[in-house]
């Protein structure tokens, strides 16, 4: 990460569950933080509690979290500006991962924006709002709000490769992508992560996760409990009750134990909830627990 001012230093907390994983030549904690919920309702506008939003980001850094996920479309531009206000100059260990490829309409819709000019504008807005000279990781967001869509990513991805050569981007990834698009991206340039929807009930990327693990590429699931329509499962509730834990804690713990290349980015607008998520993700699951949970997606 390259900033316009000097950094402070920070050491990842040994208490975070899951250890660390490399994103290219940078290393992040497997337990990260997703900043989407810091924006206003519908991920639009400013937060109702500006000071509270800053407090969550500072708590994440204090806990030793070194992976913060964001996007210029959140707000739009709101979460990036909050991150800069809360954390700049950034700790040397902190790495911000952002996404380009979508913009928001006035109704809060997510509109694909993957023309070369769109992507160049988005990258420069991210740099400006975050106060950076180089973005550590940029994911190309594909598909639409309903999920991945087939089709070549060559033109937009090559635009990001060009920006990488110019020194604006350090590492590349893809988001909301099909397995075929992931393979196509790797033929064009190295990627360090894939960010797709995945959880106990939505296991469509099982094979992809294992393939990426073999290649040392991170997989970053979003909507670990179903997102805007939370999954309902008697098995999940039963395991949570038996362990005296919440279903969300069990779902996070399962993801961390599913594969070593899975990185978590649960979002929250509450510092207390952030701490609860850290504890929940470290919940030990027995072989019996895992077998019971594994039935949900199969």
């Amino acid at each position: 990460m390259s900033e316009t001012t000097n950094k402070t230093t920070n050491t990842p907390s040994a208490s975070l569950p899951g250890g660390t994983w490399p994103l290219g030549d940078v290393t992040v904690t497997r337990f990260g933080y997703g900043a989407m919920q810091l924006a206003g309702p519908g991920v639009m506008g400013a937060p109702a509690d500006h000071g509270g939003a800053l407090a969550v980001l500072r708590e994440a850094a204090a806990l030793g979290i070194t992976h913060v996920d964001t996007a210029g479309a959140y707000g739009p531009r709101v979460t990036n500006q909050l991150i800069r206000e809360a954390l700049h100059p950034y700790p040397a260990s902190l790495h911000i991962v952002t996404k380009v490829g979508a913009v928001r309409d006035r109704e809060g819709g997510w509109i694909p924006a993957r023309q070369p000019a769109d992507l160049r504008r988005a990258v420069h807005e991210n740099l400006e709002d975050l106060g950076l000279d180089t973005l550590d990781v940029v994911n190309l967001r594909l598909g639409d709000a309903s999920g991945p869509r087939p089709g070549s990513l060559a033109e937009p991805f090559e635009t990001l490769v060009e920006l990488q050569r110019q020194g604006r981007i350090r590492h590349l990834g893809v988001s909301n992508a099909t397995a075929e698009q992931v393979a196509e991206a790797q033929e064009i340039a190295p990627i360090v992560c894939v960010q797709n929807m995945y959880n106990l009930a939505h296991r469509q990327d099982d094979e992809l996760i294992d393939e990426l693990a073999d290649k040392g590429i991170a997989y970053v699931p979003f909507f670990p409990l179903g997102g805007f329509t939370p999954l309902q499962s008697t098995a999940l509730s039963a395991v949570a009750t038996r362990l005296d834990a919440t279903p969300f804690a069990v779902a996070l713990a399962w993801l961390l134990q599913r594969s070593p290349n899975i990185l978590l980015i649960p979002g929250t607008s509450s510092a207390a909830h952030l701490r609860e998520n850290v504890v929940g993700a470290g919940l030990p699951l027995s072989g019996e627990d895992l077998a019971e949970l594994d039935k949900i997606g199969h």
Side-chain angles (χ1 to χ4, degrees):
M1 181 185 296
S2 176
E3 295 87 24
T4 55
T5 63
N6 294 330
K7 298 181 194 180
T8 59
T9 58
N10 188 35
T11 302
S13 171
S15 64
L16 289 173
T20 61
W21 184 267
L23 296 176
D25 62 355
V26 302
T27 299
V28 299
T29 50
R30 288 183 63 208
F31 188 96
Y33 172 70
M36 184 175 73
Q37 292 188 31
L38 294 184
V43 202
M44 291 289 286
D49 182 358
H50 183 88
L54 299 180
V56 174
L57 289 162
R58 289 168 181 153
E59 180 68 12
L63 289 169
I65 291 171
T66 64
H67 174 197
V68 175
D69 179 83
T70 185
Y74 298 164
R77 304 182 70 168
V78 168
T79 62
N80 283 353
Q81 293 167 0
L82 288 168
I83 290 168
R84 180 175 185 174
E85 183 179 353
L87 301 176
H88 195 283
Y90 302 112
S93 60
L94 183 70
H95 301 289
I96 300 172
V97 178
T98 190
K99 287 177 289 298
V100 295
V103 295
R104 311 298 297 281
D105 62 21
R106 292 182 179 179
E107 290 71 42
W110 301 80
I111 310 303
R114 293 189 286 270
Q115 293 300 311
D118 297 326
L119 297 174
R120 293 188 189 101
R121 183 184 310 109
V123 166
H124 285 284
E125 286 179 353
N126 273 273
L127 289 166
E128 177 184 350
D129 291 340
L130 290 166
L132 295 170
D133 300 317
T134 302
L135 299 168
D136 275 336
V137 183
V138 175
N139 285 316
L140 174 62
R141 187 183 190 276
L142 299 162
D144 55 32
S146 61
R149 290 289 177 266
S152 175
L153 53 60
E155 181 181 34
F157 195 69
E158 287 168 356
T159 299
L160 296 185
V161 172
E162 176 189 351
L163 289 163
Q164 184 182 41
R165 293 189 185 116
Q166 294 171 4
R168 297 301 189 182
I169 299 171
R170 194 169 184 177
H171 297 296
L172 299 170
V174 292
S175 177
N176 207 31
T178 66
E180 293 75 19
Q181 289 165 337
V182 172
E184 184 184 13
Q186 292 178 86
E187 292 175 358
I188 297 171
I191 62 172
V192 299
C193 56
V194 173
Q195 188 179 114
N196 279 358
M197 180 176 178
Y198 180 82
N199 55 47
L200 276 163
H202 298 87
R203 304 281 298 274
Q204 69 284 350
D205 277 353
D206 270 337
E207 184 176 343
L208 177 61
I209 289 170
D210 296 337
E211 291 175 359
L212 294 173
D214 290 340
K215 296 177 180 179
I217 298 172
Y219 184 92
V220 188
F222 58 79
F223 293 161
L225 200 57
F228 299 113
T229 54
L231 65 89
Q232 302 294 321
S233 166
T234 54
L236 176 59
S237 297
V239 172
T241 299
R242 186 165 66 240
L243 298 177
D244 192 24
T246 67
F248 192 65
V250 173
L252 291 177
W254 177 83
L255 283 168
L256 270 189
Q257 295 181 51
R258 163 65 181 82
S259 181
N261 67 322
I262 287 182
L263 311 184
L264 301 185
I265 51 168
T268 179
S269 58
S270 160
H273 188 215
L274 173 62
R275 292 188 291 269
E276 290 172 6
N277 286 345
V278 171
V279 173
L283 186 71
L285 299 176
S286 68
E288 179 186 355
D289 298 329
L290 293 171
E292 191 169 346
L293 294 168
D294 212 41
K295 296 175 183 177
I296 296 173
H298 293 140

